[in-house]
Amino acid sequence: MKTLLGFIKKEFRQTLRDPRMRILLFLAPCVQLTIFGVALSTEANNIRLSLVGAPNDSSLQELHRKALASGWFVPAKPSLSDPYEQIQKGQADAVLIAPTGGLDRALGRKEGEVQLLINATNVTRAQGIERYMGSILRSLHPQDPPLHFDVRVLYNPAMRSALFLVPGVMSMLVCLITILLTSMSIAKEKELGTFETLISAPVSPEEVILGKTVPFVLLGLSNIPLIVGVAVVLFGMPMRGSLWMLLLAAVAFVCCTVGIGLFISTVAKNQQQSMMGGFLYLFPSVLLSGMVFPVENMPWALRIFSYINPLTYFIELLRNIMLKGGDLRLIAVNVLILVAMAVLAITASWRRFKTTLS
């Protein structure tokens, strides 16, 4: 027992003597629990609702005002685009369309039917929209409602949860592979004692960073065809967009995650720290990416973390390309954001590596 107790004390001291490990073990879980408890919610809020109809159509305007007053909906930005294009471009989550001749005239003929277009790339959110609009309709006409909705569910008419979750899982797998592999690259050199050999070799920091980055970028990209193939064949994911769009998005995302993994590797002293640092980044990155919980539900103070998360943009790109066919403007904006994040991450890794060398 004395030997065993001595061995246990040694392990505790070895693990807890590093301030970074104490932060990872004790402070990080408390911070994450606080953030996730506030940020994560399955309810659908801040639903962008667009209206297509005449401004003097009092019945339609009343329905729109009632929806906004419920607290579930917010007005979408005014747009002259076709209602279907508004949803494809991400300008609106739902669109109310008045019947021909206006809703006032239709109600006079006892034919009050309003078309409701719903973006169903997020199944949970789409179900919430349909449920909320139904309750608003019942509150307007509780006895004998002359109104009813002609609901058109776009991009996922069967409301299959797989079509919503699979792009998120695909993104998470690519992120997991690239960050964990890259985060242990330089840390492994330090632990094996070959880092000193790397420093003394006649190579520049730029060459080392490229040598540590390019292989993992290629390995990450090699997983894309496999993951997409499994998603299409086994889960029936549609591929409505172009493959070049998907490849462009994948290159930007993989470069970004490899840069983040490389930065973690330059900070960590050993593989244990790099592994924990990778998981410490991945857990909040996945939960705050919109993969399961809508980003729109989060408070503004915490939504910032989603907007600086590369996984958020890649999931949106995959869902838009595979389910909607790919809107060029949305793809261009998201890819440029990922490229900027990749440049920032790789530059930070390079600077950190130069500091380590000196």
Side-chain angles (χ1 to χ4, degrees), residues 235-349:
F235 296 99
M237 280 292 298
M239 187 63 200
R240 300 188 176 112
S242 301
L243 288 175
W244 71 264
M245 293 181 180
L246 185 62
L247 179 61
L248 182 65
V251 170
F253 178 67
V254 168
C255 289
C256 187
T257 54
V258 166
I260 293 170
L262 195 62
F263 181 77
I264 294 172
S265 185
T266 61
V267 174
K269 291 183 178 179
N270 51 53
Q271 293 187 79
Q272 184 185 25
Q273 286 187 5
S274 66
M275 180 72 74
M276 290 198 68
F279 278 110
L280 185 65
Y281 169 81
L282 284 168
F283 187 55
S285 175
V286 169
L287 289 180
L288 297 177
S289 64
M291 187 179 87
V292 179
F293 306 99
V295 174
E296 293 83 3
N297 290 8
M298 302 175 190
W300 271 106
L302 295 178
R303 207 180 299 180
I304 297 172
F305 293 101
S306 297
Y307 293 145
I308 60 174
N309 179 10
L311 198 58
T312 303
Y313 299 98
F314 190 56
I315 290 175
E316 187 175 4
L317 282 167
L318 281 185
R319 287 174 178 162
N320 191 274
I321 293 169
M322 300 185 79
L323 296 177
K324 296 183 178 182
D327 176 67
L328 290 177
R329 183 179 177 278
L330 185 144
I331 290 170
V333 170
N334 284 15
V335 167
L336 286 175
I337 291 173
L338 287 176
V339 169
M341 288 182 174
V343 171
L344 184 64
I346 294 173
T347 302
S349 303

Side-chain angles (χ1 to χ4, degrees), residues 1-13:
M1 288 297 294
K2 187 175 182 180
T3 304
L4 179 60
L5 289 174
F7 190 74
I8 291 172
K9 287 180 182 177
K10 189 270 292 183
E11 287 297 320
F12 270 118
R13 287 174 182 170

